[in-house]
Every structure is written in C-alpha cells, then in structure tokens.
Amino acid sequence: MELKIHVLVPLLGFIFCLFLAAYRFRAAFYILNLVVFVLLGWISFQLHPGPAEFNIGDKAGFEAGGRIASHPEKKYGFYYFNLDADRLIAGSQRLKGQELPVKASSDVELARDDFIQVSGQYTQGQFLAQKVAVKGDCFDLYGIRKRTYSCLSSTYYTYLDYKYGAMCEAFILGNRSHIGDNIKQIFSDSGIYHILAISGLHISVLLYIFLFLFRRTRWMLILVMLILAFFNFLVGLKATLLRASVMMVSAAMSQSWGRPYSKTGVFFTAYSVLLLVVPSFFTDLGFWLSFICIAAILFIFPLLLQLCPLSRNYLIKAVILSFSIVVATFPLNAYFFGLVTWTSLISNILILPIFYLLMIVLLLVSFIILIWPPLGGPLLIMAKPLLYYMEKVAYYVGRISVLKWEFADFPRFWITIYYVLLFFLLLLLYKYLIEKDKHGPKG
C-alpha cells in the first residue's frame, strides 16, 4: 500500500515530536538530522526511476518472458504476481528489464523464481496472460533461493496441518499468501497481526541464537552479517526486515569494536540506508509504520515508564510498550485500515513469550531441515502445540469487542490535529519529568 503525500507531512511532524520528547532534548541536533535524512530520502526517491509507463493500446496483444519476482497470490482461479521480464513484445514496444503486473490464468502451479513465458492481452494497466509456460529455473542465486524455499515450505506442509504450515511459512519465509482469511482476521482482531510479517522480533531471535552459539567465535560478526544477508534474500525485499537487520548489525558492529553507540544514531542510520538502497520505500506505508513503532519504543515508552511506580514488573512493561505503539500508530491505522485494536495490550502479554519460544524452535528446526529434511521434519511436532495456543488465545482475545474501535471514514485533517496535540503532550510530559528529577526528594 502506498503512503499518500498528504499523510507524509503530519507523519514527519510526529517523528519530529518524538525526537523533541527524547531524554536529552537535543532539539537542534534531531531537527537537523530529520531534515537531512528526509531530504536524502526525497532526493533518492526522485532520482530513482519509477515503474515503466507502457504506451500500449488497450486489449493489445503481448508476449513476455522472465522470472516471477513475487509470491503468486491465487484468487478466484487467477494468479497475481510481478514478472521481472527480460523480454517484452507488445505492439511497437520491445522492452527488457521491466517489472510487469501480471494476472495469469493457469492450471500449472506457479511459484516465485519460476522462469516463465506468457502471452495474452494488455488491458486496464495489467498484463492478462491466457497462456503460461514454465521454463524451469537456472542454477544461479535465484535458483538456489527457489530450492531452499521449496525445501522448507514443502516440509512445513508435509508434517503440519495446512493452516499451521501456512503460519510457519509466514513466520520464517515471509509469505502470507497461503494463510486463510479467518486466521488473518483472528490475528488482526487480537492486535498481533504484525507477527505474521517478518520484523525485528524475528531478527532479534535469530541474532540471539547465533550470539549464543558462536559467542566465542572471532568472526561471529561476519557470520551473523552473512546469515542476515541470506535471510533477507530468502524472504525478499521487505522494509520491516531490512530495517531490523540494519539496526541489529549497526549495534553489533559498535559493540564488537568496543565503541559506544546511540540508539537514535542507529535509528537514523537504518532510515538512511533503507532509502539509499530502495528509494521507493519513501512512499511505502509499511516502511513508515515500522519506523514509527521503533520511534515509539525509543522515545514514548521510556517517558511513560518513568510515570509508573511498578515499571520493573514484566506485565506492566508489556502493557506500557503496547500502549505506546498503539498511541503512536493510532491515526494511521484508523485512516488506512479503519480499525484500531487495543486488544494488543492483552494479547502481547499472553502470546509474545510463546511466540519467542516458537521462533527459536522453528529457526533451529528449519536449519536442520536444510541439512536433512527427514530428520528436521518430524521435529516440527514441537511447534504444533505452540501454534495451537497462539491461535486459540488470539481468537478469544479478539472477541473482546469493546477493545476494537472501527472508523468508517477517519478524516485526514484529524491526523494532523492528533499529532500536534501529541507533540504538546509529550513536550509537557518531558518537562514535568525534568522538573520532577530536579525537585525530587533529597536525602
């Protein structure tokens, strides 16, 4: 989903407010960084070549060949996917190296990284393919990715029920196209739909596993970087995963060199790196939601934590953390999705600890599957009770209707009003905490 430009301005204003509410109140430094990095992102986006505009008449015939660049999604008998075309013949156009939106009618099962030949009609901005011929795959990086992906996904579905296999495919491989609408609705209603998208939760578990296994290895950092690079390549280019990887690597590099690092510095570094690598992220809603959630954790969460006398309690911390994220993303969820769920205040406490355990099991078992599938497959039985628990808890928590606020039409104007009010609230809260520290009890 693309982020509209009229939402971008209050969004950046919100990030600016968060920086003003930071611990050390280096307003000038944060403003300068914010302006520099936003300009960097905007310039990169403008210089980045956008999608090709095809001067093709409606219902004109076409022929194309290339690699399927996205996971095909099957709806009503049609496959929808992007084709990385190395050849396109349509009317007077002869192009290559373009990504085409394709709707294909095919009895053949299609998968990402298949090399195919398609022909059909170009209509209403979409390539409608009536004939599809799979040409196989090559022994290159994409071929390796396809076989690795196929090995893991087929093992999940062989040893688990279909719905649990689809959940594992989403957790580890980042493909949610096979998850049923009922499971998606359950996780959405319970406020934990984000765990179906690979993000910092997944990367943190992966990093902790390798830090534990290879903590005495001299080249641990290089090994972790290579593994993260392969994991990003296996899953595909996703803003949340790439953001988490860059932040983790930046922090790990600073620690390995014995140098102090700033969380806000790591935050800005990840922002600039992502926009330099993929400038189109600048209009990606997932990109901004990901960074807003991290900003809430870095800036709003610590302020609220200082107000709570029981902040050392795990349950209280989990509630405050969830509350901070919901507050930070409230207007965007209301505007784009028409739904704000406070159920995450409950579900995060009940589900996240089990989710971490599940990720440890799935990552270790998946590694064994890649080495020897007949050995790793049966070990997936350990994941089944954890998946069952998560599904049932999410179902019952999601039924608490009072914690779900639906918005038929959230006005754009209120997005700006919300973030302006949030700015002054955070500013007053920060000043209150500063004065409280200065005039606190002595002795």
Side-chain angles (χ1 to χ4, degrees):
M1 181 182 296
E2 290 189 354
L3 183 65
K4 303 298 183 183
I5 195 67
H6 56 257
V7 180
L8 185 61
V9 175
L11 188 60
L12 296 178
F14 167 60
I15 298 176
F16 163 69
C17 299
L18 292 177
F19 293 152
L20 288 181
Y23 270 126
R24 298 184 180 178
F25 202 74
R26 297 180 180 178
F29 172 77
Y30 290 137
I31 294 172
L32 178 62
N33 275 276
L34 182 62
V35 171
V36 169
F37 285 117
V38 168
L39 288 176
L40 172 68
W42 180 250
I43 292 172
S44 299
F45 176 70
Q46 293 298 322
L47 294 177
H48 183 68
E53 295 184 2
F54 303 101
N55 298 318
I56 304 173
D58 193 38
K59 296 185 178 180
F62 79 93
E63 293 182 3
R67 178 183 61 86
I68 298 180
S70 63
H71 291 291
E73 188 172 357
K74 193 171 186 179
K75 290 183 179 179
Y76 308 110
F78 290 93
Y79 284 100
Y80 295 83
F81 56 87
N82 293 329
L83 180 68
D84 186 7
D86 54 21
R87 180 178 63 87
L88 170 64
I89 302 175
S92 61
Q93 293 209 20
R94 303 290 190 275
L95 300 174
K96 63 178 181 179
Q98 300 292 340
E99 193 163 287
L100 316 178
V102 177
K103 175 183 177 181
S105 175
S106 173
D107 295 330
V108 180
E109 194 74 20
L110 300 178
R112 185 186 62 172
D113 295 329
D114 279 343
F115 282 82
I116 63 175
Q117 299 289 335
V118 295
S119 61
Q121 287 184 337
Y122 178 79
T123 176
Q124 297 180 350
Q126 190 175 54
F127 292 87
L128 177 60
Q130 284 90 19
K131 294 183 179 180
V132 179
V134 178
K135 298 299 183 180
D137 55 279
C138 300
F139 290 93
D140 56 5
L141 285 177
Y142 292 116
I144 294 174
R145 180 171 73 172
K146 179 183 177 181
R147 286 186 286 275
T148 302
Y149 187 98
S150 177
C151 175
L152 290 173
S153 62
S154 61
T155 306
Y156 296 153
Y157 288 106
T158 299
Y159 290 92
L160 293 172
D161 298 338
Y162 183 86
K163 64 177 178 179
Y164 293 147
M167 290 171 64
C168 291
E169 188 178 16
F171 292 150
I172 301 299
L173 301 174
N175 182 14
R176 291 174 288 178
S177 62
H178 295 147
I179 295 181
D181 292 338
N182 59 327
I183 296 294
K184 290 181 179 178
Q185 190 63 48
I186 287 173
F187 277 76
S188 177
D189 290 342
S190 61
I192 58 168
Y193 187 78
H194 61 279
I195 70 175
L196 294 177
I198 292 184
S199 62
L201 290 174
H202 305 71
I203 293 298
S204 62
V205 174
L206 181 64
L207 185 62
Y208 290 145
I209 289 176
F210 281 95
L211 287 177
F212 175 78
L213 295 177
F214 304 103
R215 60 188 183 277
R216 296 181 182 178
T217 303
R218 185 177 181 180
W219 302 102
M220 178 273 298
L221 179 59
I222 297 177
L223 178 63
V224 169
M225 291 175 64
L226 291 175
I227 292 172
L228 285 179
F230 178 75
F231 191 50
N232 275 268
F233 179 68
L234 177 64
V235 171
L237 204 59
K238 296 183 181 295
T240 53
L241 177 58
L242 193 56
R243 188 267 308 158
S245 299
V246 172
M247 293 186 70
M248 289 287 183
V249 170
S250 299
M253 288 178 65
S254 298
Q255 289 181 345
S256 66
W257 294 339
R259 306 217 19 197
Y261 68 93
S262 166
K263 292 181 180 179
T264 55
V266 171
F267 180 81
F268 275 126
T269 299
Y271 176 87
S272 59
V273 168
L274 260 66
L275 288 180
L276 285 172
V277 174
V278 189
S280 58
F281 279 158
F282 199 75
T283 55
D284 184 353
L285 177 60
F287 170 85
W288 290 104
L289 283 175
S290 177
F291 276 94
I292 285 179
C293 290
I294 297 301
I297 294 172
L298 291 179
F299 304 114
I300 296 180
F301 174 58
L303 293 177
L304 297 182
L305 211 57
Q306 292 185 57
L307 295 176
C308 181
L310 302 176
S311 59
R312 294 184 178 181
N313 184 282
Y314 163 76
L315 298 180
I316 300 298
K317 278 187 176 181
V319 171
I320 295 176
L321 179 62
S322 300
F323 179 79
S324 302
I325 294 175
V326 174
V327 166
T329 59
F330 184 98
L332 295 183
N333 285 327
Y335 178 78
F336 285 104
F337 307 111
L339 178 67
V340 176
T341 57
W342 296 93
T343 50
S344 59
L345 303 181
I346 301 174
S347 56
N348 281 339
I349 296 174
L350 299 176
I351 292 178
L352 281 189
I354 302 301
F355 176 72
Y356 274 110
L357 179 59
L358 173 66
M359 286 302 300
I360 293 173
V361 171
L362 288 180
L363 286 170
L364 291 175
V365 171
S366 296
F367 180 73
I368 296 173
I369 289 173
L370 291 178
I371 298 174
W372 190 15
L375 175 62
L379 295 178
L380 286 171
I381 193 174
M382 295 187 294
K384 192 169 184 177
L386 303 177
L387 292 166
Y388 177 82
Y389 169 84
M390 290 174 55
E391 178 193 2
K392 293 303 179 184
V393 171
Y395 172 76
Y396 287 111
V397 172
R399 297 182 68 182
I400 307 176
S401 58
V402 71
L403 295 178
K404 293 186 294 183
W405 297 358
E406 296 183 358
F407 298 86
D409 184 19
F410 191 85
R412 289 178 291 181
F413 176 74
W414 283 106
I415 299 177
T416 303
I417 297 297
Y418 180 92
Y419 285 132
V420 169
L421 293 176
L422 182 61
F423 160 67
F424 286 108
L425 180 61
L426 292 175
L427 188 60
L428 291 174
L429 178 58
Y430 174 81
K431 290 186 174 182
Y432 166 77
L433 293 174
I434 291 294
E435 293 298 322
K436 182 179 178 182
D437 289 341
K438 289 181 178 179
H439 302 93
K442 299 181 180 180

